[in-house]
Amino acid sequence: AAIGIGVAKFYKASPLVAGFLTASTKACLADSMAQYRDVCTTKFDFKRNIAMVLYSGTVLGMLCAIMYNHIFPVLFAGETRPIILAVKMTLFDGFINAPLIWLPPAYIAQALIYRYPKREAIQKYVTDVKENGLLKKYWSLWLPASLTNFMFVPAHFRVAFVAGVSFFWMIILSLVANKGDQDVDSCPVEPEPRLLAPRAMD
C-alpha cells in the first residue's frame, strides 16, 4: 500500500518525468523483443533501440501527459457527460492525434539517429500507412484502449496506462517501422534501415 501511495504521489508531482521514465523503459524492452523476433536481425541494433526509446519517452510519455492533462481539459471543457466526453477524447486522439502527432515522430526519430533525410522518413511513414496497414493496426488496439483509459483511469495514471498498453503496440510499431523481407535467405548481409521509394518526395 505504501509503495502504491508513493507511486501515485510521484505521478501526480512529476508527471512529465514519470511519463518519460515509464514510456522509455517500456520502449527499450518492447523493441528488444521485436528485434529478437526479426529474422533479419543478426545483432542487437542499438541505434534502432535508442530511436524507439526517444520516441516513446518524449511522445508517448511527456507529450501524452501534456495532451491528456492540459490540452484535452481545455478542448472539451464544455462537455460534462462522462461517457460522451470519453468518446470525444477517444475519437480526437485516434483520428487527429495519431496520424499527425503520435506516429510520425517515430519515423523522424529513426531519421535523426541513422542520419538519413527526414523526407525519407515521412515517405516511409506514408508507405506504412498505405501499404502496411499502420493506422488500421493502431486503431484496432488504441480505440478501445483509449476509451477504457478516458472512462475509468484516474487522470494522473493515464500515461501509465498508455505505457502499459503501448508495450504491445511498440512491438507492432517497431516491426512495421522496420518491415523488410521476412525470409532469412533474402536478408542483406549487413541489415540496415530501408525505405521504399526513398526519393519519391525529392
Side-chain angles (χ1 to χ4, degrees), residues 81-91 146-147 150-151:
R81 296 165 295 178
I83 296 179
I84 301 301
L85 176 61
V87 170
K88 286 183 177 181
M89 291 192 294
T90 297
L91 294 177
S146 294
L147 185 60
F150 294 134
M151 286 186 65

Side-chain angles (χ1 to χ4, degrees), residues 23-166:
S24 59
T25 300
K26 170 269 308 175
C28 181
L29 295 175
D31 182 64
S32 298
M33 292 181 62
Q35 289 197 45
Y36 177 77
R37 295 181 57 190
D38 189 344
V39 298
C40 291
T41 300
T42 57
K43 61 182 180 179
F44 189 77
D45 190 337
F46 285 100
K47 286 186 176 181
R48 165 177 159 175
N49 192 258
I50 290 173
M52 302 308 287
V53 165
L54 292 176
Y55 159 74
S56 188
T58 55
V59 176
L60 296 184
M62 299 175 69
L63 191 54
C64 269
I66 295 172
M67 180 66 68
Y68 294 164
N69 298 327
H70 298 283
I71 297 178
F72 272 12
V74 174
L75 289 178
F76 304 104
E79 182 57 68
T80 58
R81 296 165 295 178
I83 296 179
I84 301 301
L85 176 61
V87 170
K88 286 183 177 181
M89 291 192 294
T90 297
L91 294 177
F92 190 93
D93 205 45
F95 293 99
I96 302 297
N97 285 343
L100 299 179
I101 299 177
W102 301 147
L103 296 177
Y107 294 80
I108 300 299
Q110 282 198 335
L112 294 175
I113 293 296
Y114 285 102
R115 297 183 179 180
Y116 58 80
K118 288 186 284 295
R119 286 187 177 185
E120 295 186 11
I122 297 300
Q123 178 60 37
K124 178 68 166 75
Y125 169 62
V126 172
T127 298
D128 283 344
V129 169
K130 291 182 176 180
E131 300 181 11
N132 296 329
L134 178 62
L135 284 178
K136 291 181 180 179
K137 291 180 174 69
Y138 181 95
W139 291 327
S140 67
L141 174 64
W142 281 108
L143 288 180
S146 294
L147 185 60
T148 301
N149 195 12
F150 294 134
M151 286 186 65
F152 303 112
V153 179
H156 60 281
F157 277 136
R158 283 175 179 168
V159 173
F161 180 86
V162 168
V165 176
S166 66

